[in-house]
Amino acid sequence: MVQLASGTSVSGKLQQPTNSVLPWVATAARLVLAGFLAVAGALKIGTPAISVQAVRAYQLLPDSLAQAFGYGLPVLEIILGVLLVIGLLTRPVAVISGLLMIAFMIGIGSAWARGLRIDCGCFGGGGQLAAGQEPTYFWELLRDVGLLACAAWIAIRPPGRLAMDSALGLTGSAGDEEAEPVDEPRSDHT
Amino acid sequence: MSKRTSEAARARIAAQREALRKQERRKRITMIVTVVVIGIVAVAAGWWSVAQGTAEKVTGNLAPVTLESDGTVVMARPGVTAPVLDVYEDYQCPACKQMEETSGSTIKNLAAEGKAKVVYHVITIFQQEPTRSNSLRAANAARCVTDGSEYMKFHDLLYSRQPSETQTGFSVDDLLKWGKEAGVTSSGFESCVRGQSKVAAQEQFTSKIMATGKITGTPTVMLDGKPLDTSVVFVPSDLRDAVIKAGK
């Protein structure tokens, strides 16, 4: 714990001017992204057959893959959401979330381009729209762009305040911590 | 002096290196434990999710299927009149196909076990082409079947071979071929399918149901007249529980 404390103080000194606000931005981004992911996953996980149907409606994946995606996606979304809230493995989780958002945008964009009339199925339901309903692809895409921005911010400046990563000492690259002792023997020799 | 200092410094460096090594090891272990725990949670959640969506197997013979003159199809053991499970579906609707794949076997089993009287209402929900014509051709062909057990086989074949919503499908030739596969032998079947003789009846049947305002989309499954939530309909074990509870 002593080493951890000294490690944080060093990085703290380096980031002094921006230290107070920026980490909270990452925390906020984590909570926003986590909220969407966890809710989307929770609404779908109980009825995986509908989730599979929503994936099939995009007509992008072969059936076995659509099945796997339909079952796996809600589980993945919930796990990513929980990890983002507690700030555990923040950077890899942010990267995976960002890639997921890109995949969603490709799916929605291609459904739009092909003129399919479907619900994105993001929060349960999904599939063909009834006669009176119009697709809302633009807003779905805009939302995903926003969430992608959150993911990118978190990936660039992880983990933010209130993160398990900091508590467990999983933050900071090994290079930062090695810099300290490597410098010292050199100064001794001179 | 300088020797001692450098020795002390060396010792200090060694101690620091050791501490760093320990820290790195602890970090690695924490990382591994974290990833393993996440993996276990993911597998458990995935397993539960798959269980939620796993279809039952159809066990034994189906309950007798009766083709009613009003266009509905009743599947029930003799004397079973309640609870009533009404299934509103469209042969062209992908969600109906999904429902049949997921819960169709549960519905058949419940009827076979005498736990419910199942009533199928096949409607044509689509207003646009090519889905509307696809749906009408398929429903017409099903109405041309005159035997109950042949009907259910044909019904299941239609779902398993449902065309995409973006292309013309359920062609007359395919429907005739699949009818043969389902064991349809009646002499009038071919002319009935080719002549689309039951299309008007199908359209009337649909508008009568839509006029009641009880159905907003397909599939709709009603238990004793009340629509069941999709979160029940698409989870076979929950559907079974709901029907059993209604029968008590």
Side-chain angles (χ1 to χ4, degrees), chain B:
Chain B
M1 266 306 255
S2 82
K3 213 169 201 177
R4 217 187 301 158
T5 317
S6 75
E7 251 169 40
R10 220 168 276 147
R12 207 174 65 229
I13 293 159
Q16 266 177 346
R17 284 214 174 119
E18 181 55 28
L20 250 177
R21 234 193 326 274
K22 274 192 184 145
Q23 187 191 334
E24 281 299 311
R25 197 169 59 224
R26 201 166 49 225
K27 194 168 154 181
R28 202 161 43 236
I29 291 169
T30 309
M31 191 75 85
I32 290 168
V33 169
T34 306
V35 170
V36 168
V37 169
I38 294 168
I40 290 170
V41 170
V43 168
W47 186 78
W48 177 77
S49 178
V50 167
Q52 288 287 95
T54 302
E56 291 182 10
K57 291 224 159 49
V58 175
T59 49
N61 293 326
L62 296 185
V65 177
T66 320
L67 309 174
E68 301 288 342
S69 55
D70 67 354
T72 59
V73 177
V74 175
M75 179 169 65
R77 291 260 301 268
V80 176
T81 53
V84 178
L85 196 65
D86 286 296
V87 180
Y88 295 84
E89 55 183 8
D90 183 323
Y91 288 124
Q92 175 64 62
C93 132
C96 303
K97 176 188 163 98
Q98 187 72 43
M99 196 277 284
E100 282 291 338
E101 280 179 8
T102 311
S103 298
S105 52
T106 304
I107 292 170
K108 291 189 182 105
N109 286 342
L110 286 166
E113 292 160 23
K115 300 271 167 47
K117 175 188 177 186
V118 176
V119 185
Y120 291 99
H121 310 250
V122 174
I123 60 176
T124 293
I125 194 100
F126 294 98
Q127 302 299 321
Q128 288 165 320
E129 295 301 341
T131 43
R132 181 171 175 78
S133 296
N134 288 354
S135 168
L136 283 173
R137 267 195 304 280
N140 174 75
R143 280 169 174 265
C144 295
V145 180
T146 50
D147 171 87
S149 75
E150 290 168 11
Y151 182 93
M152 278 318 287
K153 280 189 202 124
F154 191 61
H155 166 275
D156 294 351
L157 278 180
L158 288 176
Y159 277 115
S160 68
R161 288 157 195 188
Q162 184 184 76
S164 150
E165 288 175 296
T166 50
Q167 51 193 251
T168 304
F170 286 142
S171 76
V172 166
D173 290 340
D174 281 343
L175 292 167
L176 287 172
K177 204 163 63 194
W178 302 343
K180 218 168 266 168
E181 255 181 79
V184 178
T185 50
S186 77
S187 54
F189 183 68
E190 176 157 1
S191 62
C192 177
V193 173
R194 285 204 189 282
Q196 312 261 321
S197 0
K198 308 276 187 184
V199 166
Q202 171 68 11
E203 285 176 323
Q204 261 167 28
F205 181 77
T206 301
S207 34
K208 210 172 85 195
I209 287 172
M210 295 313 283
T212 65
K214 286 192 292 187
I215 311 294
T216 53
T218 50
T220 297
V221 177
M222 294 198 191
L223 182 56
D224 288 331
K226 283 190 212 88
L228 286 173
D229 198 80
T230 48
S231 65
V232 176
V233 174
F234 284 82
V235 178
S237 55
D238 289 358
L239 176 62
R240 170 170 282 278
D241 290 349
V243 171
I244 302 272
K245 218 175 107 195
K248 273 180 187 157

Side-chain angles (χ1 to χ4, degrees), chain A residues 117-119 127-135, chain B residues 125-128 216-218:
Chain A
R117 290 172 36 82
I118 59 173
D119 180 302
Q128 199 68 21
L129 292 171
Q133 292 174 290
E134 278 310 309
Chain B
I125 194 100
F126 294 98
Q127 302 299 321
Q128 288 165 320
T216 53
T218 50

